Amino acid sequence: MRWLLLVFVVAACGGSNSSSSTGGSPQALVVQAVGTQSSAIAAPGGTLQLAAYESVAGSYGGSTLQQVMASWSSSDTAVVTVDPNGVVTAVANGTAVITATAGSATGQATVTVGATPAAVTIEWNLGAQTSPVSTTITAGTPVQWHASDTNHTVVADNTPPPATVAVNQGTTTPAQTITTKGTYHYHCSIHPAMMGTLVVE
């Protein structure tokens, strides 16, 4: 089965200094899927609803996302199309960039139509106490943990691996699809010396 994989990219706004009701200024336009945290849908013909948001900083720190009306475009309509309401439709294999524009602010989502990547299995055993586990994956690739020696947990130190998930002896965790690039560290709460690193490129 083919799938549509979506990697979200936040594009910095330029030139917009309008203030929100809290006195902050819009900092970015964020493109997100609506109603799902999954970045994969069936293709061809599969669809995904996108929405555009401004990230507005408040006067006392912090920020909120406010949905805005936007115009939409695809860099390659032979791969994916997008309608005026932000609905993306897969057409053929390949990669295209969906751009949302609201005033001078823009946000982008890189869309790839293709086969579902196979899950990467990380062996999570007591050996990680002396030799920390390090794994590198491509954004959008499912990842799962397997324990063969005894019961363990996977606890994220700086997200986004599972916040906390049990890995009992002889079992494998449900696959997690991570689309946010970065270097993430995790450990086992049962055996705290067990350390792991997941690099998402």
Side-chain angles (χ1 to χ4, degrees), residues 124 145 152-168 173-174 176 185-191:
W124 190 227
W145 285 261
H152 300 293
T153 62
V154 175
V155 180
D157 295 328
N158 61 327
T159 64
T164 302
V165 64
V167 195
N168 293 328
T173 66
Q176 306 283 325
H185 304 286
Y186 57 93
H187 68 279
C188 173
S189 60
I190 302 173
H191 310 98

mmCIF file of all heavy atoms in Angstrom, residues 124 145 152-168 173-174 176 185-191:
data_model
loop_
_atom_site.group_PDB
_atom_site.id
_atom_site.type_symbol
_atom_site.label_atom_id
_atom_site.label_comp_id
_atom_site.label_asym_id
_atom_site.label_seq_id
_atom_site.Cartn_x
_atom_site.Cartn_y
_atom_site.Cartn_z
ATOM 1 N N TRP A 124 16.498 -3.321 23.136
ATOM 2 C CA TRP A 124 16.587 -2.561 24.386
ATOM 3 C C TRP A 124 16.807 -3.543 25.528
ATOM 4 O O TRP A 124 15.870 -4.091 26.101
ATOM 5 C CB TRP A 124 15.299 -1.763 24.552
ATOM 6 C CG TRP A 124 15.254 -0.742 25.639
ATOM 7 C CD1 TRP A 124 14.249 -0.573 26.544
ATOM 8 C CD2 TRP A 124 16.201 0.290 25.926
ATOM 9 N NE1 TRP A 124 14.508 0.490 27.375
ATOM 10 C CE2 TRP A 124 15.714 1.039 27.019
ATOM 11 C CE3 TRP A 124 17.433 0.649 25.375
ATOM 12 C CZ2 TRP A 124 16.397 2.122 27.565
ATOM 13 C CZ3 TRP A 124 18.117 1.723 25.911
ATOM 14 C CH2 TRP A 124 17.611 2.447 26.989
ATOM 15 N N TRP A 145 10.668 -0.622 20.100
ATOM 16 C CA TRP A 145 11.688 -1.174 20.994
ATOM 17 C C TRP A 145 11.340 -2.608 21.358
ATOM 18 O O TRP A 145 10.176 -2.934 21.600
ATOM 19 C CB TRP A 145 11.787 -0.322 22.262
ATOM 20 C CG TRP A 145 12.497 0.981 22.057
ATOM 21 C CD1 TRP A 145 13.801 1.265 22.355
ATOM 22 C CD2 TRP A 145 11.951 2.190 21.515
ATOM 23 N NE1 TRP A 145 14.103 2.568 22.026
ATOM 24 C CE2 TRP A 145 12.989 3.158 21.508
ATOM 25 C CE3 TRP A 145 10.697 2.548 21.022
ATOM 26 C CZ2 TRP A 145 12.801 4.456 21.043
ATOM 27 C CZ3 TRP A 145 10.506 3.838 20.547
ATOM 28 C CH2 TRP A 145 11.551 4.777 20.561
ATOM 29 N N HIS A 152 11.668 -3.998 30.786
ATOM 30 C CA HIS A 152 12.252 -2.661 30.766
ATOM 31 C C HIS A 152 11.154 -1.635 30.514
ATOM 32 O O HIS A 152 9.993 -1.982 30.284
ATOM 33 C CB HIS A 152 13.308 -2.537 29.658
ATOM 34 C CG HIS A 152 14.449 -3.488 29.787
ATOM 35 N ND1 HIS A 152 15.363 -3.429 30.809
ATOM 36 C CD2 HIS A 152 14.828 -4.540 29.004
ATOM 37 C CE1 HIS A 152 16.259 -4.390 30.663
ATOM 38 N NE2 HIS A 152 15.955 -5.082 29.576
ATOM 39 N N THR A 153 11.545 -0.374 30.537
ATOM 40 C CA THR A 153 10.681 0.710 30.072
ATOM 41 C C THR A 153 11.499 1.607 29.158
ATOM 42 O O THR A 153 12.736 1.609 29.203
ATOM 43 C CB THR A 153 10.130 1.566 31.230
ATOM 44 O OG1 THR A 153 11.225 2.185 31.920
ATOM 45 C CG2 THR A 153 9.308 0.730 32.196
ATOM 46 N N VAL A 154 10.805 2.368 28.327
ATOM 47 C CA VAL A 154 11.423 3.437 27.543
ATOM 48 C C VAL A 154 10.828 4.741 28.062
ATOM 49 O O VAL A 154 9.614 4.943 27.999
ATOM 50 C CB VAL A 154 11.142 3.284 26.037
ATOM 51 C CG1 VAL A 154 11.700 4.480 25.263
ATOM 52 C CG2 VAL A 154 11.739 1.987 25.508
ATOM 53 N N VAL A 155 11.681 5.604 28.595
ATOM 54 C CA VAL A 155 11.228 6.878 29.158
ATOM 55 C C VAL A 155 11.967 8.003 28.445
ATOM 56 O O VAL A 155 13.200 8.077 28.491
ATOM 57 C CB VAL A 155 11.492 6.958 30.673
ATOM 58 C CG1 VAL A 155 11.005 8.296 31.226
ATOM 59 C CG2 VAL A 155 10.815 5.799 31.397
ATOM 60 N N ALA A 156 11.230 8.875 27.776
ATOM 61 C CA ALA A 156 11.843 9.974 27.028
ATOM 62 C C ALA A 156 12.393 11.026 27.976
ATOM 63 O O ALA A 156 11.746 11.402 28.952
ATOM 64 C CB ALA A 156 10.823 10.599 26.090
ATOM 65 N N ASP A 157 13.607 11.498 27.684
ATOM 66 C CA ASP A 157 14.209 12.564 28.478
ATOM 67 C C ASP A 157 13.897 13.940 27.903
ATOM 68 O O ASP A 157 13.777 14.917 28.635
ATOM 69 C CB ASP A 157 15.732 12.383 28.551
ATOM 70 C CG ASP A 157 16.117 11.124 29.305
ATOM 71 O OD1 ASP A 157 15.384 10.740 30.235
ATOM 72 O OD2 ASP A 157 17.145 10.516 28.955
ATOM 73 N N ASN A 158 13.811 14.039 26.580
ATOM 74 C CA ASN A 158 13.550 15.338 25.956
ATOM 75 C C ASN A 158 12.576 15.214 24.792
ATOM 76 O O ASN A 158 12.565 16.048 23.901
ATOM 77 C CB ASN A 158 14.856 15.998 25.500
ATOM 78 C CG ASN A 158 15.615 15.181 24.463
ATOM 79 O OD1 ASN A 158 15.570 13.959 24.482
ATOM 80 N ND2 ASN A 158 16.318 15.846 23.559
ATOM 81 N N THR A 159 11.743 14.133 24.819
ATOM 82 C CA THR A 159 10.752 13.837 23.782
ATOM 83 C C THR A 159 11.401 13.913 22.394
ATOM 84 O O THR A 159 12.468 14.473 22.254
ATOM 85 C CB THR A 159 9.536 14.772 23.878
ATOM 86 O OG1 THR A 159 9.930 16.097 23.631
ATOM 87 C CG2 THR A 159 8.873 14.661 25.229
ATOM 88 N N PRO A 160 10.817 13.273 21.319
ATOM 89 C CA PRO A 160 9.499 12.679 21.288
ATOM 90 C C PRO A 160 9.416 11.165 21.330
ATOM 91 O O PRO A 160 8.357 10.669 20.984
ATOM 92 C CB PRO A 160 8.957 13.178 19.953
ATOM 93 C CG PRO A 160 10.130 13.178 19.062
ATOM 94 C CD PRO A 160 11.302 13.501 19.953
ATOM 95 N N PRO A 161 10.468 10.342 21.679
ATOM 96 C CA PRO A 161 10.149 8.917 21.843
ATOM 97 C C PRO A 161 8.998 8.768 22.829
ATOM 98 O O PRO A 161 8.585 9.761 23.424
ATOM 99 C CB PRO A 161 11.450 8.329 22.401
ATOM 100 C CG PRO A 161 12.510 9.203 21.859
ATOM 101 C CD PRO A 161 11.902 10.586 21.886
ATOM 102 N N PRO A 162 8.448 7.576 23.022
ATOM 103 C CA PRO A 162 7.312 7.459 23.947
ATOM 104 C C PRO A 162 7.637 8.116 25.280
ATOM 105 O O PRO A 162 8.738 7.948 25.807
ATOM 106 C CB PRO A 162 7.147 5.944 24.096
ATOM 107 C CG PRO A 162 7.744 5.373 22.857
ATOM 108 C CD PRO A 162 8.867 6.282 22.486
ATOM 109 N N ALA A 163 6.697 8.881 25.828
ATOM 110 C CA ALA A 163 6.930 9.530 27.122
ATOM 111 C C ALA A 163 7.308 8.480 28.152
ATOM 112 O O ALA A 163 8.296 8.618 28.872
ATOM 113 C CB ALA A 163 5.693 10.292 27.554
ATOM 114 N N THR A 164 6.530 7.409 28.219
ATOM 115 C CA THR A 164 6.847 6.233 29.033
ATOM 116 C C THR A 164 6.101 5.047 28.438
ATOM 117 O O THR A 164 4.890 5.115 28.238
ATOM 118 C CB THR A 164 6.408 6.411 30.500
ATOM 119 O OG1 THR A 164 7.039 7.560 31.057
ATOM 120 C CG2 THR A 164 6.794 5.187 31.329
ATOM 121 N N VAL A 165 6.823 3.977 28.144
ATOM 122 C CA VAL A 165 6.178 2.778 27.617
ATOM 123 C C VAL A 165 6.898 1.557 28.172
ATOM 124 O O VAL A 165 8.121 1.554 28.315
ATOM 125 C CB VAL A 165 6.184 2.762 26.068
ATOM 126 C CG1 VAL A 165 7.593 2.697 25.518
ATOM 127 C CG2 VAL A 165 5.348 1.611 25.529
ATOM 128 N N ALA A 166 6.131 0.527 28.533
ATOM 129 C CA ALA A 166 6.713 -0.707 29.048
ATOM 130 C C ALA A 166 7.165 -1.594 27.899
ATOM 131 O O ALA A 166 6.514 -1.659 26.853
ATOM 132 C CB ALA A 166 5.696 -1.442 29.907
ATOM 133 N N VAL A 167 8.318 -2.250 28.101
ATOM 134 C CA VAL A 167 8.822 -3.225 27.127
ATOM 135 C C VAL A 167 9.090 -4.507 27.911
ATOM 136 O O VAL A 167 10.174 -4.708 28.448
ATOM 137 C CB VAL A 167 10.120 -2.754 26.441
ATOM 138 C CG1 VAL A 167 10.387 -3.606 25.208
ATOM 139 C CG2 VAL A 167 10.059 -1.290 26.072
ATOM 140 N N ASN A 168 8.102 -5.367 28.002
ATOM 141 C CA ASN A 168 8.265 -6.597 28.765
ATOM 142 C C ASN A 168 9.115 -7.604 28.001
ATOM 143 O O ASN A 168 9.226 -7.545 26.774
ATOM 144 C CB ASN A 168 6.903 -7.203 29.093
ATOM 145 C CG ASN A 168 6.109 -6.333 30.052
ATOM 146 O OD1 ASN A 168 6.683 -5.652 30.901
ATOM 147 N ND2 ASN A 168 4.794 -6.341 29.911
ATOM 148 N N THR A 173 7.340 -2.916 21.550
ATOM 149 C CA THR A 173 6.390 -1.817 21.731
ATOM 150 C C THR A 173 5.642 -1.542 20.433
ATOM 151 O O THR A 173 6.117 -1.883 19.343
ATOM 152 C CB THR A 173 7.114 -0.529 22.145
ATOM 153 O OG1 THR A 173 7.952 -0.091 21.059
ATOM 154 C CG2 THR A 173 7.959 -0.738 23.387
ATOM 155 N N PRO A 174 4.481 -0.905 20.507
ATOM 156 C CA PRO A 174 3.835 -0.423 19.285
ATOM 157 C C PRO A 174 4.767 0.551 18.559
ATOM 158 O O PRO A 174 5.524 1.289 19.190
ATOM 159 C CB PRO A 174 2.581 0.294 19.804
ATOM 160 C CG PRO A 174 2.328 -0.308 21.148
ATOM 161 C CD PRO A 174 3.686 -0.619 21.709
ATOM 162 N N GLN A 176 6.198 3.735 16.781
ATOM 163 C CA GLN A 176 6.002 5.173 16.910
ATOM 164 C C GLN A 176 6.537 5.841 15.644
ATOM 165 O O GLN A 176 7.667 5.577 15.240
ATOM 166 C CB GLN A 176 6.765 5.717 18.123
ATOM 167 C CG GLN A 176 6.461 5.017 19.429
ATOM 168 C CD GLN A 176 5.134 5.445 20.005
ATOM 169 O OE1 GLN A 176 4.742 6.599 19.874
ATOM 170 N NE2 GLN A 176 4.439 4.528 20.652
ATOM 171 N N HIS A 185 16.999 11.700 23.715
ATOM 172 C CA HIS A 185 17.601 10.771 24.666
ATOM 173 C C HIS A 185 16.504 10.109 25.494
ATOM 174 O O HIS A 185 15.459 10.703 25.769
ATOM 175 C CB HIS A 185 18.580 11.518 25.577
ATOM 176 C CG HIS A 185 19.649 12.251 24.829
ATOM 177 N ND1 HIS A 185 20.710 11.611 24.226
ATOM 178 C CD2 HIS A 185 19.801 13.574 24.555
ATOM 179 C CE1 HIS A 185 21.481 12.499 23.626
ATOM 180 N NE2 HIS A 185 20.952 13.698 23.806
ATOM 181 N N TYR A 186 16.754 8.872 25.893
ATOM 182 C CA TYR A 186 15.783 8.145 26.704
ATOM 183 C C TYR A 186 16.521 7.178 27.625
ATOM 184 O O TYR A 186 17.725 6.931 27.468
ATOM 185 C CB TYR A 186 14.771 7.408 25.823
ATOM 186 C CG TYR A 186 15.368 6.437 24.829
ATOM 187 C CD1 TYR A 186 15.529 5.084 25.142
ATOM 188 C CD2 TYR A 186 15.777 6.862 23.567
ATOM 189 C CE1 TYR A 186 16.072 4.191 24.231
ATOM 190 C CE2 TYR A 186 16.324 5.978 22.647
ATOM 191 C CZ TYR A 186 16.467 4.642 22.982
ATOM 192 O OH TYR A 186 17.016 3.761 22.081
ATOM 193 N N HIS A 187 15.805 6.626 28.610
ATOM 194 C CA HIS A 187 16.412 5.704 29.558
ATOM 195 C C HIS A 187 15.361 4.699 30.024
ATOM 196 O O HIS A 187 14.187 4.781 29.637
ATOM 197 C CB HIS A 187 16.994 6.460 30.761
ATOM 198 C CG HIS A 187 15.946 7.092 31.630
ATOM 199 N ND1 HIS A 187 15.351 8.309 31.330
ATOM 200 C CD2 HIS A 187 15.364 6.660 32.785
ATOM 201 C CE1 HIS A 187 14.465 8.607 32.260
ATOM 202 N NE2 HIS A 187 14.446 7.628 33.156
ATOM 203 N N CYS A 188 15.793 3.751 30.854
ATOM 204 C CA CYS A 188 14.895 2.759 31.448
ATOM 205 C C CYS A 188 14.688 3.120 32.915
ATOM 206 O O CYS A 188 15.660 3.275 33.662
ATOM 207 C CB CYS A 188 15.493 1.358 31.320
ATOM 208 S SG CYS A 188 14.558 0.075 32.196
ATOM 209 N N SER A 189 13.432 3.248 33.335
ATOM 210 C CA SER A 189 13.172 3.619 34.731
ATOM 211 C C SER A 189 13.415 2.450 35.684
ATOM 212 O O SER A 189 13.648 2.654 36.877
ATOM 213 C CB SER A 189 11.732 4.123 34.882
ATOM 214 O OG SER A 189 10.805 3.114 34.508
ATOM 215 N N ILE A 190 13.375 1.216 35.168
ATOM 216 C CA ILE A 190 13.637 0.040 36.006
ATOM 217 C C ILE A 190 15.135 -0.146 36.205
ATOM 218 O O ILE A 190 15.600 -0.502 37.293
ATOM 219 C CB ILE A 190 13.018 -1.223 35.371
ATOM 220 C CG1 ILE A 190 11.511 -1.042 35.190
ATOM 221 C CG2 ILE A 190 13.313 -2.461 36.226
ATOM 222 C CD1 ILE A 190 10.850 -2.177 34.414
ATOM 223 N N HIS A 191 15.901 0.102 35.148
ATOM 224 C CA HIS A 191 17.364 -0.003 35.187
ATOM 225 C C HIS A 191 17.914 1.341 34.705
ATOM 226 O O HIS A 191 18.236 1.507 33.525
ATOM 227 C CB HIS A 191 17.847 -1.144 34.287
ATOM 228 C CG HIS A 191 17.130 -2.438 34.522
ATOM 229 N ND1 HIS A 191 16.072 -2.868 33.744
ATOM 230 C CD2 HIS A 191 17.306 -3.387 35.482
ATOM 231 C CE1 HIS A 191 15.632 -4.027 34.191
ATOM 232 N NE2 HIS A 191 16.360 -4.374 35.251
#
